[in-house]
Structure formats: C-alpha cells, structure tokens
Amino acid sequence: MAAGGRGAEAPATHAPIEDHGVIGDLHTAALVSTDGDIDWLCLPRFDSPSVFAALLDQDRGGRFSVRCAGATRTKQMYLADSNILLTRFLGESSVGEVVDFMVPRERGGRGTLQLVRIVRAVRGQVGVEIRCAPAFDYGRARTEVDIVEGSGAFFSSPAGQLVLRSTVPLAADGAAAVGHPVLAEGESLALSLSRQGSTRPLDLAEADDLLTSTLAYWQHWLRRSRYRGRYREIVERSALALKLLVHQPTGALVAAPTTSLPESVGGTRNWDYRFTWVRDAAFTVYALMRLGFSEEAAAFMDWLEARCTEAPQGQGLQILYSLDGSPVPVEQALEHLRGYRDSRPVRIGNGAADQLQLDIYGELMDSVYLYDRHAEPISYQLWEALCRQLDWLEGHWEKADHGVWEVRGPMQRFTYSTVMTWVAFERGARIAQQRGLPAPLDRWRRTADRAYLHVQRDGWNPERRAYVQYPGSDTLDAGALVLPLVKFTGPRDPRFLATLERIEHELVTDSLVHRYRNDGSDGFTEAEGTFNLCSFWYVEALTRAGRIEQARHTFEKMLTYANHLGLYAEEIGPSGEALGNFPQAFTHLALISAAVNLDLALDSGLRP
C-alpha cells in the first residue's frame, strides 16, 4: 500500500502521527516519518528508555534523519509482504529512495540490534543529508560522539552506546554524526546502527544481503496466513503490524510501541502503552489463530500461563505487566520533554497497573477456551491456576471497579465488567465439561447466572431502552457492542438491537464510534477522539445482526481512516487525524476479527 506524503522540506514542529511507518526486529520497533526521520526508538526492547524521541520533543528527543535533497514530494510504501519500508523522495530532476528495516531477532534473543538504512539514487544526481543524533534515556543522558574515519561513528553515554557503520564518510556536529554525500544515478550508500560491535567499514554487499534475508523472513512468515478474503491487503498488513508488536523472547504482545501520544492534542490523556494487557488475550488468540498464526498464539498462551501460575494464592491477576511478566514501573512524568505538539505530561510507566478491572477474567477465560478448542488442550497446571483465579473472582466480582476504559474517576459496577464475569464462568464451565476437568460446576453456573441476571435487571435501562454503562446511569457505552461477540446475547435479541440503535444515534458519527459521551466522571473533562476499536466492534455487531450491507459500507469507510500504509493509532480526531499511541495492537486485532466475520457473511449471505 502506498500513498503520497508531504513535501520533503524542513519538517513542521512534529510530523503527524499518521505520517509514519513502523519497522522492528521482534524486540523493539522504530517509527519512520515520510520525511525520512526515525523519531522514535527504544532500546533494547519496547519498554526501555528511548534513544530517538523527536516525536515527543524536537529539540531534546533525538532523531536519525536520512533525506534526499531537492525533493518536492515524498511517498512511502512497504516492500511486498514485508515490514521493510521504502520512502521515495521525488524532485523535478532527481528521485532518491531510502529503504529502512530492522533485522529480525529470533526467540532466545540471539543477535543484537541491526537497523539498516540503504539510500539509492534512482534518477539523476541525489544529494543525501545524514544526521544521527541519539538522545539516550529519554534525552536525560549526555551523549558524546567519536568519528571513526572512513567507517562511521561511535556514540556513548552513561545510559548506553550505539555504533553507526557507514559506507560514506561522516563528521561530528556537536553530539551528532552528519554526512552530505552526493550519489550519481544508480549509486547507493548504506548505514547500519547497532548497540555493540566493531566500527569496521560497512560494505554495500553486506547491507544488500541483510535486506534479502529480511525480506525472505517476512514473506515466509506471511505465507502461513490462511486468509484469502476480499480484504486481504489490509488484513495482512494488520497481521504484519501485530507480528512487529510481539516481543519474541517472551511471546507477549505490547499494546503499542509508543508512549504519551495524546488522545486529544494539547490534552493530558497521554499514556504509556509499551506493556502487555491481559485484556488483549482473547482478541490476540482469536485473531492470530483465525489467520493461521498458531505459533504466535501459543507463545502468548505460554506467557499467560506463567502469569496465572505465579499469581499468589488468594490474589487476582494484575491487569497489565511488563513484557517479561514483572510489575509495570510506577507512573511518572518526564517534565523535560514538551510532548507531541505540546501535549503534556509525557508519561512513562502506567498507573492503571494498580487499578481493579474485573473484566480481564472474562477475556482471559475466553482466550483459553478458544485456544483449548481450536489449537491444543491446555495443561493441567494451567487449569489449576485458572481455577484459583475463578475462586478469587467469585469473591470479588460484585465490587465496583475501574472498568475496561481504565477510568481515573469514581469506581462503578460497570456493566461490561459484569458481562465479562459471566463470560469467565461460562467459558470455565465449557472447558471443564468438554475436557472432563475437575471443577465446581454448580458454583460456577450459579455465579454466571447471577452475573447474567444483574446485567439484564440492573444494566438495562428501560427508559433509555439500552444497556447502560453501570446500574443507575443513563450513559451509553460502546462496550455493549461486544454482547453478541461473546455470546452473552443473540445478535438480533430485541434488547441488543434497541441498544445498538441508541448507540448509533448517540455515539456513532458516520463510521466512527465514541466509546461514551464523557461528562467528566472518568476523571477528565477534555475531549477525545473516536475509538477505532469500537468502530470495528460496531462493524462486527452490524454483521452479526444481519445488516450486512451497512456493515460492509461502514467497514470500508473505516479503511479510509488508516494511514497511507494501512496502520491505525488508537483514535481518530475531528478532522480525521490519528490520535493516541501508534500503531495500536487492539485496533488491528479488532480489524482482523471484523474483516473475517464480514467476509463469511458476504460469502454466505448469513450472519457468522
């Protein structure tokens, strides 16, 4: 997928969120702008401190820029079936190309970071502007550069080091390494950034070999996809993006590779998403298995099993974890960074880790049920651990919590959380019956029944004719769109259809869906964008309700809100701009689910 970019003159204060592609090596990921700038990269893994963070502060964040002079337009695309990014610089008398990729590192952590940038003069003479200026530890550590004559540069700081190898000479400019080579038509240069290694000169043949092997890796991986539907291009791009967000050594899926990209420009809803949410489990396992990527689904199940088995007796799970399963760092603000378009504070760590969010047990049990049914039987060790978690939930599910949206206002008995309580015990009972596993089935069924009746009696507002956000409220919540997705209600049940109608009237703008209308009760009074996750839930709800043509129209409109590469952030702003952390795993998981089910409905003429 390719599209036009902005002019290649000096960038605005910040390149828009949507003007980026993502590359990665299965340990971390970098964002590359249509200007040829790497302005986000954390090392050595997703949740490590940044070395390039110009996306959050042009002056202090650090950037690795490679541009072709004289360009009036840029365009960006991925090489076919890969996560190798090509940025084209188009001028009146020249065309230059920059190929960016990171060399995948397999499970076990073999090898080290290799970020490779290859520049080609396609037409005419191309002047190249190189500037590599890392800023270690979110720009808090002083950096020094040593130029290695004829081969590159060595960057050092108390927080780490980087080696930049080059096929062209570089010079020092303060703490940056710079170069201004001129390529004749048909000539190329290459740069390779790594965390360690020698500063021996880089050979073009070596860079080309890495490009060939990396392209083969991605194309071989994508061939495992079973999806052959009408939305193949965007579904496979979503799969490739998700693969980039799986931390290969642990199997954990990071929610997004960025922190503090705002949900409203200038606002304070700026969160760190570089962690793994238990909530993502069901959607991850379902989406990846539906496409045929059972290895990634199995790795995430291994990660989940470890979290369940290590949970102390009598305690529930955390809602999110660091990639290796350790606690998430305490949330803190980086006061020295200005933030994306002055959206402050810039946060690292995530205070939501201390919240009570009871819905996660439903998503967890749904993922285990799907995996046990469609992949392979779960172990008895995992089953014992899950039973302990259900024991804990049985004693706590009637408490108020912070809910699926992680509100920082008053806790409530959120309807979505109660629905997911029903899912947890219903799926647990299904697994036990289908596998003949020991379980207190009578207790689980009674608890599931109580949760179900609580939603129907107290979560249903007869005046509003809709399921509302929590008992006693009149606030609609797009979380109700999942009711038929998790089989809590039939997709044509009168109560669900009435709720769908109210959501359409109050939360849907064209194809875009707000998660709820905020009255300040979630701890914030500022506006936010529409939630892409909810928009794809809406598509799937329409599909299951039999409104297939409307679902198709809505889905295909949503595709126009992807960026030029088919990637989504968390939200869409008032003028169609991307908001929130980018790219967001949850959105791409929901896109895959919506596309697969819509395809089935269009092919059969029946709801899936």
Side-chain angles (χ1 to χ4, degrees):
M1 182 176 293
R6 302 177 298 119
E9 302 303 320
T13 303
H14 287 95
I17 294 169
E18 63 267 25
D19 281 7
H20 289 86
V22 61
I23 58 175
D25 65 355
L26 311 179
H27 289 232
T28 188
L31 298 189
V32 186
S33 77
T34 53
D35 290 314
D37 298 337
I38 293 177
D39 51 19
W40 183 257
L41 175 63
C42 298
L43 293 175
R45 67 184 199 182
F46 295 104
D47 55 356
S48 300
S50 65
V51 294
F52 300 123
L55 193 59
L56 297 179
D57 193 306
Q58 289 281 104
D59 300 321
R60 300 181 181 89
R63 169 185 285 123
F64 186 2
S65 178
V66 176
R67 303 179 183 178
C68 298
T72 57
R73 293 181 300 147
T74 63
K75 292 189 176 184
Q76 223 171 30
M77 61 177 285
Y78 281 108
L79 300 191
D81 300 338
S82 81
N83 281 313
I84 298 172
L85 191 63
L86 172 65
T87 307
R88 306 184 71 213
F89 293 80
L90 309 175
E92 293 183 3
S93 59
S94 64
V95 174
E97 293 182 345
V98 180
V99 178
D100 287 311
F101 62 96
M102 297 174 72
V103 179
R105 287 184 279 166
E106 295 290 353
R107 182 166 296 182
R110 295 192 301 274
T112 185
L113 165 79
Q114 285 194 83
L115 190 158
V116 181
R117 315 196 72 180
I118 299 173
V119 188
R120 299 166 176 160
V122 176
R123 178 170 63 83
Q125 183 173 278
V126 175
V128 183
E129 300 170 357
I130 301 168
R131 183 176 184 85
C132 184
F136 294 88
D137 191 23
Y138 305 107
R140 294 181 293 192
R142 179 181 176 84
T143 302
E144 296 182 352
V145 60
D146 293 310
I147 299 300
V148 180
E149 189 170 349
S151 63
F154 180 79
F155 301 94
S156 60
S157 81
Q161 64 183 34
L162 287 172
V163 176
L164 177 62
R165 297 166 60 211
S166 173
T167 61
V168 296
L170 301 175
D173 180 11
V178 300
H180 304 280
V182 177
L183 300 178
E185 185 173 312
E187 288 185 334
S188 301
L189 67 83
L191 303 159
S192 173
L193 189 70
S194 60
R195 292 183 64 225
Q196 58 192 28
S198 71
T199 53
R200 59 182 174 81
L202 180 64
D203 184 80
L204 270 174
E206 178 186 349
D208 286 338
D209 287 345
L210 290 173
L211 174 61
T212 299
S213 62
T214 300
L215 182 61
Y217 173 88
W218 288 117
Q219 292 179 340
H220 175 76
W221 181 82
L222 192 60
R223 281 198 294 271
R224 291 163 45 199
S225 173
R226 295 195 301 257
Y227 183 78
R228 298 294 183 269
R230 50 182 54 78
Y231 303 111
R232 184 171 176 178
E233 182 178 4
I234 192 69
V235 166
E236 291 188 344
R237 177 48 52 198
S238 291
L240 284 161
L242 288 170
K243 177 63 173 175
L244 281 180
L245 302 184
V246 174
H247 184 243
Q248 188 78 339
T250 61
L253 178 82
V254 67
T258 57
T259 181
S260 299
L261 295 182
E263 296 176 16
S264 61
V265 173
T268 60
R269 295 179 188 263
N270 316 320
W271 312 114
D272 192 347
Y273 275 18
R274 298 171 299 154
F275 307 109
T276 299
W277 270 252
V278 172
R279 178 177 297 113
D280 295 1
F283 301 93
T284 302
V285 172
Y286 175 81
L288 293 177
M289 287 197 309
R290 288 299 296 266
L291 299 184
F293 298 111
S294 55
E295 181 179 329
E296 285 72 22
F300 199 13
M301 285 303 301
D302 289 343
W303 185 89
L304 284 171
E305 179 173 347
R307 306 293 78 75
C308 291
T309 55
E310 71 191 13
Q313 184 75 29
Q315 292 187 23
L317 293 171
Q318 299 174 45
I319 64 169
L320 68 152
Y321 294 84
S322 294
L323 299 172
D324 58 6
S326 61
V328 169
V330 174
E331 184 173 294
Q332 60 178 297
L334 299 180
E335 301 291 351
H336 66 289
L337 295 180
R338 291 180 58 182
Y340 174 83
R341 295 177 60 186
D342 293 320
S343 302
R344 303 180 72 180
V346 172
R347 293 183 174 94
I348 56 174
N350 197 309
D354 297 324
Q355 291 186 349
L356 177 65
Q357 296 178 22
L358 295 167
D359 65 284
I360 67 170
Y361 299 93
E363 286 115 354
L364 169 65
M365 292 305 299
D366 200 30
S367 70
V368 173
Y369 168 73
L370 291 168
Y371 187 79
D372 184 81
R373 180 180 179 186
H374 298 293
E376 61 178 312
I378 62 170
S379 68
Y380 179 67
Q381 180 180 0
L382 175 56
W383 180 245
E384 281 191 311
L386 292 171
C387 288
R388 291 197 300 270
Q389 291 303 316
L390 291 179
D391 285 342
W392 182 91
L393 181 62
E394 193 174 4
H396 294 80
W397 72 272
E398 295 176 282
K399 291 185 175 182
D401 73 343
H402 295 92
V404 62
W405 306 125
E406 303 184 346
V407 299
R408 301 207 174 190
M411 298 166 70
Q412 304 286 351
R413 286 197 68 186
F414 287 103
T415 300
Y416 183 92
S417 296
T418 308
V419 169
M420 286 299 165
T421 294
W422 174 84
V423 171
F425 288 102
E426 196 277 339
R427 300 304 193 268
R430 281 201 206 187
I431 297 170
Q433 287 183 301
Q434 292 174 6
R435 290 279 311 281
L437 295 170
L441 288 176
D442 289 341
R443 278 178 29 216
W444 287 1
R445 290 193 183 99
R446 285 195 299 270
T447 305
D449 288 348
R450 288 175 59 205
Y452 186 91
L453 291 173
H454 179 77
V455 173
Q456 297 291 12
R457 293 170 179 171
D458 300 314
W460 172 258
N461 184 319
E463 287 76 28
R464 294 283 276 154
R465 289 199 51 77
Y467 294 106
V468 289
Q469 193 169 51
Y470 53 87
S473 75
D474 59 6
T475 302
L476 293 176
D477 191 322
L481 293 168
V482 308
L483 267 61
L485 279 61
V486 298
K487 314 296 185 185
F488 180 89
T489 183
R492 299 186 187 184
D493 181 277
R495 285 190 171 190
F496 176 72
L497 291 178
T499 303
L500 179 60
E501 182 180 348
R502 297 307 306 161
I503 287 174
E504 287 180 308
H505 181 69
E506 298 186 24
L507 299 183
V508 178
T509 302
D510 198 17
S511 62
L512 303 174
V513 182
H514 290 273
R515 54 182 181 170
Y516 51 83
R517 293 292 183 186
N518 186 32
D519 59 4
S521 61
D522 65 352
F524 298 89
T525 57
E526 62 204 45
E528 63 181 9
T530 56
F531 264 59
N532 292 324
L533 167 67
C534 297
S535 298
F536 288 117
W537 280 352
Y538 176 51
V539 170
E540 193 160 350
L542 289 172
T543 302
R544 292 174 183 269
R547 294 160 58 178
I548 298 171
E549 287 306 314
Q550 184 184 358
R552 180 176 189 171
H553 185 61
T554 302
F555 182 77
E556 292 178 0
K557 274 192 172 182
M558 272 304 297
L559 299 187
T560 70
Y561 289 101
N563 82 343
H564 58 289
L565 298 167
L567 301 175
Y568 289 87
E570 184 174 31
E571 300 182 19
I572 300 294
S575 60
E577 73 275 22
L579 293 173
N581 286 306
F582 173 88
Q584 197 211 25
F586 223 161
T587 296
H588 287 279
L589 291 165
L591 182 157
I592 290 170
S593 181
V596 169
N597 284 287
L598 179 57
D599 251 333
L600 290 173
L602 288 168
D603 288 343
S604 66
L606 301 172
R607 71 181 188 275

